[in-house]
Amino acid sequence: MDKFDPKPGVVEQIAPQLRRILAPNPSAMTWRGTNSYLLGQGRVTVIDPGPDDAAHLAALLQATSGEIVSHIVVTHSHLDHSPLAARLAAQTGAQVWAFGDSSSGRSAVMQELVAQGYDGGGEGVDLHFAPDRIVGDGDVIDTPAGPLHVLHTPGHMGNHICLRWGDAVFSGDLVMGWATSLVSPPDGDISDFLASCARLRGEGAAVLYPGHGAPVGEPAARIDWLIAHRIERRSQVLAALDVPRDVSGLTAAIYTDVAPALWPIAARNVFAQLIELVGAGLVTAQPALTPDATFVRLPCPQ
């Protein structure tokens, strides 16, 4: 785990042209809190305003007092990243830029689950998020501090983007140093997550600025570990299906090193793995692909 203990509301200069303010929302899911980044001086781009918190809004406005907020960019619309965007926009006149609303970018299998009535739950989706400006993969946001190159990187959430700035990337919740990312259907998708990690590795960034935790100084090594970790979990799920099991049974069998209080979170990761395995034809869900199904490992093809 990276060493990271800033104080909420305090402005930190972490690189030339880049400041960070920590939101006061620590939790098991957010660690110390959400990192809000202020890019540039005089004319400022705010990346991930954070949760709807009056104290954090005041801290952002104080930090940019005497400056112009030119852009507000949101990496994805979970409740710890996007809700403050609308209030900050109202105060500053800046527009909110993002990939789309909270249903945007979902994979086909996740869209099918939603159509069948599955709504997931647990992590906190900002259902009211509505950006002013929609950006797509490959677009460029021209900020006064230089261009932000948009990378659509679904997996943690369908509308997740990373933002390349020179040799650095704002990685949102895709890659962090302190923990792995939760992949929670129907917004998270393991296949998309692995593809997005591989794509980000290919960018060859020198440093990642994540949504939570300290900067990641060796991105390639960290991404390699995250990919290996997901593949290991995949193997653990398959091994635990030596007998048919449901999601809760698999979670208890696999997450023996995790406190039971966190098993509901882990169970969503397990379900995400199972969706991928069903799609790969290695597992079947009986009677249908739902969190309540019984999952059976299929014989390996000869």
Side-chain angles (χ1 to χ4, degrees):
M1 182 179 291
D2 55 4
K3 296 179 180 179
F4 183 73
D5 193 23
K7 304 303 179 189
V10 176
V11 182
E12 303 171 279
Q13 189 81 39
I14 61 172
Q17 293 284 298
L18 183 61
R19 293 167 283 172
R20 175 182 62 202
I21 304 179
L22 183 70
N25 62 327
S27 73
M29 298 295 295
T30 61
W31 199 26
R32 303 291 189 238
T34 301
N35 294 325
S36 294
Y37 294 103
L38 307 181
L39 181 62
Q41 299 284 155
R43 293 180 61 83
V44 179
T45 297
V46 179
I47 299 174
D48 282 348
D52 189 6
D53 181 272
H56 192 50
L57 175 62
L60 291 172
L61 292 173
Q62 177 61 36
T64 56
S65 178
E67 299 179 295
I68 295 172
V69 175
S70 62
H71 301 72
I72 300 168
V73 186
V74 174
T75 62
H76 64 293
S77 55
H78 277 143
L79 289 173
D80 55 328
H81 286 260
S82 60
L84 200 60
R87 292 179 64 185
L88 183 62
Q91 291 279 347
T92 62
Q95 291 188 316
V96 178
W97 300 61
F99 184 81
D101 65 16
S102 292
S103 66
S104 300
R106 284 177 176 155
S107 64
V109 66
M110 297 306 166
Q111 292 180 41
E112 179 63 25
L113 281 173
V114 171
Q116 294 173 1
Y118 177 65
D119 61 0
E123 192 177 10
V125 173
D126 183 358
L127 299 176
H128 304 292
F129 182 64
D132 301 304
R133 300 288 297 271
I134 303 296
V135 293
D137 186 57
D139 286 348
V140 177
I141 304 173
D142 289 314
T143 80
L148 291 173
H149 297 266
V150 177
L151 309 172
H152 181 219
T153 49
H156 174 67
M157 191 168 184
N159 69 354
H160 193 287
I161 57 174
C162 292
L163 302 160
R164 175 142 196 163
W165 178 56
D167 64 356
V169 173
F170 296 94
S171 59
D173 283 2
L174 179 69
V175 175
M176 302 176 287
W178 72 281
T180 60
S181 297
L182 177 64
V183 180
S184 176
D187 302 296
D189 182 288
I190 288 288
S191 295
D192 283 353
F193 179 83
L194 291 172
S196 292
C197 283
R199 182 183 184 189
L200 183 57
R201 192 191 192 287
E203 288 292 313
V207 62
L208 304 179
Y209 295 114
H212 310 274
V216 178
E218 296 183 359
R222 180 59 179 169
I223 293 169
D224 286 346
W225 185 90
L226 288 170
I227 292 172
H229 172 74
R230 293 291 175 180
I231 293 173
E232 180 184 9
R233 286 296 191 203
R234 187 182 197 263
S235 297
Q236 289 174 333
V237 171
L238 280 172
L241 285 173
D242 53 343
V243 296
R245 300 181 194 263
D246 60 11
V247 171
S248 61
L250 282 164
T251 302
I254 295 168
Y255 284 86
T256 56
D257 57 341
V258 173
L262 296 177
W263 282 359
I265 297 172
R268 297 200 294 279
N269 275 321
V270 169
F271 185 47
Q273 290 278 5
L274 289 164
I275 292 169
E276 192 273 335
L277 288 167
V278 169
L282 299 175
V283 170
T284 184
Q286 299 175 353
L289 182 57
T290 70
D292 300 321
T294 297
F295 293 89
V296 180
R297 187 174 65 194
L298 296 172
C300 292
Q302 300 298 318

